[in-house]
Amino acid sequence: MAMVLNQALADLISEQIRQRHVTELRAVLSTGNEITMHAEFTVGRDFIIYRTAKDHSGKWAMTPFAHIVQLIV
């Protein structure tokens, strides 16, 4: 069940990025923290890889979909 949900979320995020040429997404995590994700995005089955707003050194972060409570596109 979780894998199906993760794939549905991955498909939704990928489609939003493609349709709207999104270069920034915000998400609320299960910890209560809010993150800002910047393009380019890599959307996998279970996670999203992105650049963080605070990191301009070329490093990338990875967040599992299971930790995302709300996605703000």
Side-chain angles (χ1 to χ4, degrees):
M1 180 68 172
M3 183 178 286
V4 173
L5 182 59
N6 285 344
Q7 186 58 53
L9 188 52
D11 292 343
L12 174 65
I13 292 172
S14 295
E15 185 64 15
Q16 288 294 323
I17 291 169
R18 187 187 69 75
Q19 277 186 359
R20 299 167 63 174
H21 306 289
V22 172
T23 58
E24 181 177 300
L25 296 171
R26 288 186 299 136
V28 178
L29 303 181
S30 56
T31 58
N33 295 334
E34 185 176 301
I35 57 172
T36 302
M37 300 173 279
H38 288 269
E40 301 171 353
F41 300 102
T42 299
V43 181
R45 179 180 288 274
D46 300 314
F47 56 84
I48 183 167
I49 298 174
Y50 56 92
R51 240 175 108 159
T52 62
K54 296 178 183 176
D55 188 0
H56 299 290
S57 64
K59 293 183 181 174
W60 298 77
M62 181 178 81
T63 297
F65 288 137
H67 293 175
I68 297 176
V69 174
Q70 180 184 8
L71 185 67
I72 306 161
V73 180

